[in-house]
Amino acid sequence: MSKQKIQAPKGVSEYTPPRSAAFEFVREALISPARLAGYQLIELPVFEDTELFTRGVGESTDVVSKEMYTFEDRGGRSITLRPEGTAGVMRAVIEHGLDRGQLPAKLWYSGQFFRAERPQAGRYRQFYQVGIEAIGLDDPAIDAEVIAIADAGFKSIGLSKYRLEITSLGDAASRAAHRVDLVKFIATMNLDEATAARATLNPLRLFDDKREEIKQAMLKAPLLVDYLSPESKTHFAQVTHYLDSLGITYVLNPRMVRGLDYYTGTTFEFVHELLGAQSGIGGGGRYDGLMAELGGQSLSGIGFGLGVDRALLAAEAEGIINEDLFVSDLFIIPLGEDAKVKALSLATQLRSHGKNVEIAFGDRALKGAMKGADKSGARYVIVLGDSEISSGTLELKEMKTGATSSVKIDALLTALSK
Ligand code: HAM
């Protein structure tokens, strides 16, 4: 009797060939502008002490209250699979004293994150982000640069059907002034107990409520942007000034609520137009109180997380994934033992020059091997037999057009580079 197959846990994103090549391309493209801007890699564990997230991300958030994968490890410690990257980066910056060196500390990361959300298209329980964090600088120019780096990541994939939404959540004084009026306003609403409790933890959460009656009621709620302190106003005006000078277009969205509680000041989201309900392809902002909240010194910070899964879906929706990017340059079909030896050394040599070269092993008949070449999608194919080896010349066949040309084995690299 055959055994029952085991399937992946519900709601995880997985990438197998050939789509994994497009995934890898998107992930690399998204993070390359950060590397060019001097951000350095930080590799962190995917699980952390649970308290890092309850304190760092905030208990009023869905992420902490409903979506964390939390378990007790064998030593009785409460452990959580990271739902996001910023809290872990701050923990590591404090722990390793990265805030004692040159500031800002500029870090990038890439990896899996975990949220027990209801799975749907573009929303997974394990998903991928690339992100950056710049710690220890208040200059509004870095806010603009961080946003520009995210924008450059999306553009380098070729995405165009998205918009950037920005707002400011102000400094502590701005939020305190707003909170007084917002709490008064919320007191006039007839809220159920759970919602009221959330509102007590963070009244801004109500702007994010998906229920129609609450959405309607909140249309009249006081907006934080109308309570910005003069300093916060100036800071935000400078951010938009720098974005204007960079030619980066944005929409002001004073009702934006990020799903994490640590945000202060400049906050932003990238929204793709073709993705339906899960349209947020990236987001971020300032988190000027987070480091102190986690026991470090009082330094400001700003960063973003970009959703790799969603950026890939967006690229597919825009029809801009070029499959040709991911195929081999050359497929070698060796006929016989001597040819196999020659194929191995030829492939090694061409690969050392950066060519993608595959060899058809297994002594299949020529017809079958040709089929393999076709399926591989390789640009060119050569058949290497005794006569080719002795003459030093072979037929280079372009798979797409079927065109062949006679090429010296020594000149193969040049021919492939054309
Ligand atoms: P976030 O907005 O929660 O921010 O997540 C960033 C991006 O991750 C989202 O825009 C989305 O593209 C993707 N994402 C989030 N949840 C899922 C999911 N369940 N399935 C697929 N994709 C998802 C943060 O995580 C912050 N740490 C970003 C940040 C860094 N802020 C400052 N520094």
Side-chain angles (χ1 to χ4, degrees):
M1 213 177 73
S2 65
K3 296 205 172 157
Q4 200 166 10
K5 291 183 187 126
I6 297 170
Q7 293 187 324
K10 198 173 158 199
V12 299
S13 66
E14 298 188 290
Y15 299 96
T16 54
R19 195 165 174 248
S20 52
F23 172 80
E24 189 186 16
F25 162 76
V26 165
R27 184 175 55 188
E28 281 304 302
L30 283 177
I31 202 59
S32 58
R35 287 211 197 90
L36 295 175
Y39 285 75
Q40 293 181 299
L41 175 66
I42 184 162
E43 277 292 354
L44 296 176
V46 299
F47 58 87
E48 296 269 6
D49 189 325
T50 299
E51 195 186 338
L52 175 65
F53 303 115
T54 48
R55 248 208 277 162
V57 173
E59 301 201 70
S60 82
T61 63
D62 277 356
V63 169
V64 168
S65 65
K66 300 183 193 156
E67 298 170 357
M68 292 208 299
Y69 282 98
T70 298
F71 59 96
E72 200 171 277
D73 75 0
R74 285 165 198 271
R77 289 164 288 251
S78 180
I79 295 291
T80 293
L81 299 184
R82 60 181 184 190
E84 63 94 49
T86 312
V89 169
M90 294 310 276
R91 191 269 305 147
V93 165
I94 298 167
E95 187 169 340
H96 302 290
L98 300 183
D99 55 330
R100 307 277 164 201
Q102 172 82 7
L103 293 178
K106 297 199 295 184
L107 303 159
W108 73 267
Y109 51 88
S110 166
Q112 288 95 332
F113 296 86
F114 307 85
R115 295 181 192 175
E117 300 195 72
R118 202 163 43 77
Q120 56 173 260
R123 186 162 76 189
Y124 310 108
R125 292 182 168 175
Q126 173 178 301
F127 58 97
Y128 293 82
Q129 273 186 13
V130 299
I132 71 172
E133 312 295 347
I135 296 136
L137 196 70
D138 290 324
D139 191 334
I142 201 162
D143 300 29
E145 187 185 56
V146 163
I147 293 172
I149 289 169
D151 188 56
F154 293 128
K155 292 225 165 74
S156 73
I157 300 170
L159 292 180
S160 61
K161 298 197 165 88
Y162 66 89
R163 66 177 182 276
L164 162 64
E165 299 187 352
I166 59 171
T167 192
S168 172
L169 297 180
D171 52 16
S174 318
R175 284 192 305 284
H178 174 243
R179 194 181 170 118
V180 172
D181 284 359
L182 183 59
V183 167
K184 269 190 215 148
F185 176 84
I186 289 173
T188 68
M189 293 167 73
N190 197 6
L191 295 176
D192 60 89
E193 219 172 284
T195 314
R198 285 183 104 195
T200 310
L201 281 173
N202 180 358
L204 289 175
R205 284 272 146 253
L206 286 200
F207 283 106
D208 203 21
D209 205 294
K210 301 287 179 289
R211 287 168 293 183
E212 206 42 56
E213 64 279 14
I214 298 201
K215 269 192 191 164
Q216 279 300 322
M218 289 304 285
L219 286 177
K220 297 200 189 80
L223 294 175
L224 219 167
V225 285
D226 298 324
Y227 292 77
L228 293 187
S229 66
E231 297 76 27
S232 292
K233 238 185 218 164
T234 308
H235 184 103
F236 192 56
Q238 281 178 284
V239 174
T240 53
H241 164 69
Y242 293 128
L243 289 176
D244 292 338
S245 73
L246 281 165
I248 293 177
T249 49
Y250 52 83
V251 190
L252 297 175
N253 178 2
R255 297 177 167 274
M256 183 196 305
V257 181
R258 304 274 302 127
L260 314 159
D261 270 354
Y262 47 62
Y263 288 110
T264 61
T266 313
T267 47
F268 54 92
E269 264 171 12
F270 289 86
V271 182
H272 198 271
E273 287 157 23
L274 305 180
L275 287 189
Q278 303 305 315
S279 57
I281 51 175
R286 282 208 158 266
Y287 42 85
D288 290 348
L290 181 58
M291 190 153 177
E293 179 62 40
L294 294 175
Q297 54 172 330
S298 178
L299 284 182
S300 60
I302 180 163
F304 62 64
L306 311 182
V308 184
D309 313 86
R310 290 188 194 167
L312 173 58
L313 290 171
E316 288 167 342
E318 287 198 37
I320 51 174
I321 290 293
N322 177 4
E323 304 290 343
D324 280 0
L325 278 176
F326 315 123
V327 297
S328 294
D329 299 304
L330 181 67
F331 198 92
I332 305 177
I333 300 175
L335 300 179
E337 199 45 41
D338 290 347
K340 227 189 241 181
V341 174
K342 180 73 188 167
L344 281 166
S345 65
L346 193 58
T348 306
Q349 186 210 341
L350 293 169
R351 287 172 194 152
S352 76
H353 286 93
K355 296 293 170 203
N356 297 333
V357 181
E358 293 182 70
I359 306 173
F361 291 118
D363 306 311
R364 287 166 80 187
L366 185 56
K367 202 169 152 203
M370 268 299 187
K371 257 192 202 156
D374 210 25
K375 269 203 185 137
S376 82
R379 273 183 204 115
Y380 291 97
V381 64
I382 57 174
V383 176
L384 199 61
D386 293 338
S387 66
E388 282 80 12
I389 295 173
S390 60
S391 70
T393 305
L394 41 75
E395 291 284 293
L396 182 65
K397 181 174 176 189
E398 188 176 5
M399 295 303 279
K400 229 180 217 155
T401 60
T404 58
S405 52
S406 191
V407 174
K408 288 255 174 252
I409 295 184
D410 298 340
L412 202 50
L413 178 64
T414 323
L416 290 175
S417 303
K418 264 185 204 148

